[in-house]
Amino acid sequence: MKPKRKPLIFWKLIERENAVRYMMISMLSFVATVIVVRTFLVLTGYPQIGSGTLHIAHVLWGGLILYIAAILPLIYINPRLHILDAILSGVGVGLFIDEVGKFITRQYDYFIPAAAPIIYIFFLLIVILLIMIRRPEAIDGRAELVKTLEIVREQLYRPLDPAERAHIETDMGKVIETDPDELHQEIAKKLLEIVRSDSRATPDAHPGWWRHYSKQLDLWLTKSRLSWLLGLGLLLSSLLTLKNPVQVWLEHVMPDSALVAYLNAHAGRQITPAEAPVLFNTRLVLEVLVGLLLLISVVLLAVRQKRLAFDLGYLCLLVSLTVLDLLLFYFEQFSTIFIVLIQFVVLIGVIYYREKYLKSRT
């Protein structure tokens, strides 16, 4: 009797080589598209394409671009299209989700307060996906072979550079040593032979301008300077977080002062506290709590308690980005983008400092 074949339900998904890079490009394209579209509409008075009953919304352009991004990898296998595809996917979803307010209201209200938080939640989901992709996985021979085949395919267009060759040598060596499947081992050996047999010289490539400035930045950004810059970033984040509570307090103390008018300045639409008093009071409490804790982290950094300072700052920034900023987007709409960008930059800096200078001491 023939052995029964096990039913195949799902193929195990394999992460594409440079997946993080492509997702990062897509995310940045998405963020840039939303910012550019909103800024353009505010500056131009929200123009419309069409006349009379005809209105061509930019959600249609977003759908068209998304479809182009979807069919390109179905038609072509050239890996050089992946960057273009990442850009198109980000631009398309940015144009699409910018009009989410029209599709969650009966009145097709583009300016509904919930639109900005929904867009921000979508951005957070992309960030979470990026974090999940970056998590290290156990060695999987089949996955390593598929990724290597994708790199080796480039040999049809050009000789592989030394970094790519070293990457293949390492990965295929692991497959040969650890994978129990003899077929996987044989394929790994053949791929190594193909790569090693390519005698073409790699053309001398001058490092790009961004690599040059990146090296200069690494030399300049010493441990001490990075600590000072992060301290300033945490202080700025604290002051921006405490701005609204201070503004509310000053409105009771000196309601007609120029300082109150300055603190109340904003870009675009703003939701008044009377429209959602419970959410507004919740926001104020969180702003006071997070703002003061960020200020404490700055003080701890000043007295050289760096581990405690950066741990506290890291926690506060996470709370701000995942909870507090949702409320800020509801009340202050897209004028909150500037604050969020500062918090993300400071958070990345804190993570980098903890990983490079504090992790080894645990």
Side-chain angles (χ1 to χ4, degrees):
M1 294 179 61
K2 293 183 179 180
K4 292 184 178 180
R5 296 182 61 185
K6 296 181 180 180
L8 181 61
I9 302 176
F10 293 108
W11 284 99
K12 182 180 178 182
L13 298 178
I14 298 174
E15 181 184 308
R16 181 183 293 277
E17 190 72 20
N18 297 321
V20 174
R21 178 188 178 192
Y22 300 139
M23 282 299 302
M24 184 68 72
I25 293 173
S26 180
M27 182 188 71
L28 294 177
S29 301
F30 159 70
V31 173
T33 300
V34 174
I35 293 175
V36 169
V37 168
R38 287 281 173 166
T39 304
F40 172 79
L41 292 177
V42 169
L43 295 177
T44 57
Y46 298 94
Q48 295 184 353
I49 300 177
S51 59
T53 59
L54 180 64
H55 168 51
I56 303 177
H58 52 269
V59 67
L60 298 177
W61 299 109
L64 176 61
I65 294 174
L66 279 175
Y67 183 67
I68 293 174
I71 64 174
L72 279 178
L74 299 179
I75 300 174
Y76 303 104
I77 62 172
N78 193 325
R80 299 183 183 185
L81 283 175
H82 293 160
I83 293 179
L84 174 62
D85 204 47
I87 295 173
L88 291 178
S89 65
V91 173
V93 76
L95 292 172
F96 170 79
I97 204 169
D98 182 67
E99 298 212 83
V100 66
K102 292 183 178 181
F103 305 106
I104 60 174
T105 57
R106 293 182 181 273
Q107 297 79 19
Y108 298 98
D109 185 4
Y110 180 73
F111 302 99
I112 183 174
I118 289 174
I119 296 174
Y120 182 65
I121 289 173
F122 184 81
F123 167 73
L124 287 180
L125 291 175
I126 298 176
V127 173
I128 293 172
L129 179 60
L130 267 171
I131 295 173
M132 293 175 64
I133 292 175
R134 290 181 65 89
R135 285 181 179 176
E137 297 180 353
I139 297 176
D140 182 351
R142 186 171 63 92
E144 297 297 336
L145 287 171
V146 172
K147 291 181 180 181
T148 301
L149 283 168
E150 189 172 9
I151 299 176
V152 171
R153 190 170 56 184
E154 282 289 289
Q155 281 189 284
L156 296 173
Y157 302 95
R158 59 174 176 82
L160 300 180
D161 59 48
E164 290 170 322
R165 288 174 176 266
H167 183 59
I168 292 175
E169 291 272 357
T170 302
D171 289 348
M172 294 302 95
K174 291 179 181 178
V175 173
I176 295 171
E177 293 175 3
T178 62
D179 197 298
D181 193 315
E182 292 184 2
L183 176 61
H184 291 173
Q185 295 179 20
E186 289 299 321
I187 295 176
K189 292 176 182 177
K190 292 295 184 183
L191 288 174
L192 278 177
E193 290 178 9
I194 293 172
V195 172
R196 291 168 177 171
S197 63
D198 189 355
S199 59
R200 293 176 296 174
T202 305
D204 294 332
H206 297 285
W209 61 268
W210 62 273
R211 289 185 181 272
H212 172 73
Y213 287 109
S214 177
K215 290 182 179 179
Q216 294 296 322
L217 180 62
D218 286 339
L219 294 175
W220 179 83
L221 197 60
T222 60
K223 179 181 178 180
S224 177
R225 284 175 178 167
L226 179 59
S227 178
W228 274 100
L229 288 174
L230 290 177
L232 292 175
L234 291 171
L235 179 61
L236 179 59
S237 299
S238 173
L239 296 177
L240 290 174
T241 305
L242 292 172
K243 179 184 77 70
N244 289 322
V246 170
Q247 173 192 329
V248 172
W249 176 70
L250 289 176
E251 285 178 349
H252 291 87
V253 177
M254 47 180 75
D256 298 323
S257 67
L259 181 58
V260 172
Y262 175 76
L263 292 175
N264 197 34
H266 64 278
R269 184 181 179 184
Q270 190 175 33
I271 307 303
T272 62
E275 296 179 61
V278 176
L279 289 178
F280 183 79
N281 291 330
T282 303
R283 190 195 80 173
L284 283 181
V285 172
L286 285 174
E287 284 178 324
V288 171
L289 180 62
V290 172
L292 291 178
L293 289 176
L294 283 171
L295 201 57
I296 292 173
S297 69
V298 176
V299 175
L300 289 172
L301 190 59
V303 297
R304 299 186 180 278
Q305 297 293 324
K306 293 186 178 181
R307 177 175 294 280
L308 185 57
F310 286 125
D311 287 346
L312 182 60
Y314 174 78
L315 178 62
C316 291
L317 290 171
L318 281 183
V319 173
S320 293
L321 290 167
T322 56
V323 180
L324 180 56
D325 288 344
L326 283 175
L327 297 173
L328 286 175
F329 269 107
Y330 182 85
F331 285 98
E332 299 185 5
Q333 299 291 283
F334 290 92
S335 60
T336 310
I337 290 176
F338 175 71
I339 297 175
V340 171
L341 290 177
I342 292 177
Q343 291 174 346
F344 261 105
V345 171
V346 177
L347 179 63
I348 292 173
V350 169
I351 293 173
Y352 175 80
Y353 190 96
R354 293 172 74 204
E355 290 291 323
K356 186 171 183 179
Y357 299 113
L358 300 178
K359 189 174 181 180
S360 59
R361 299 179 184 177
T362 55

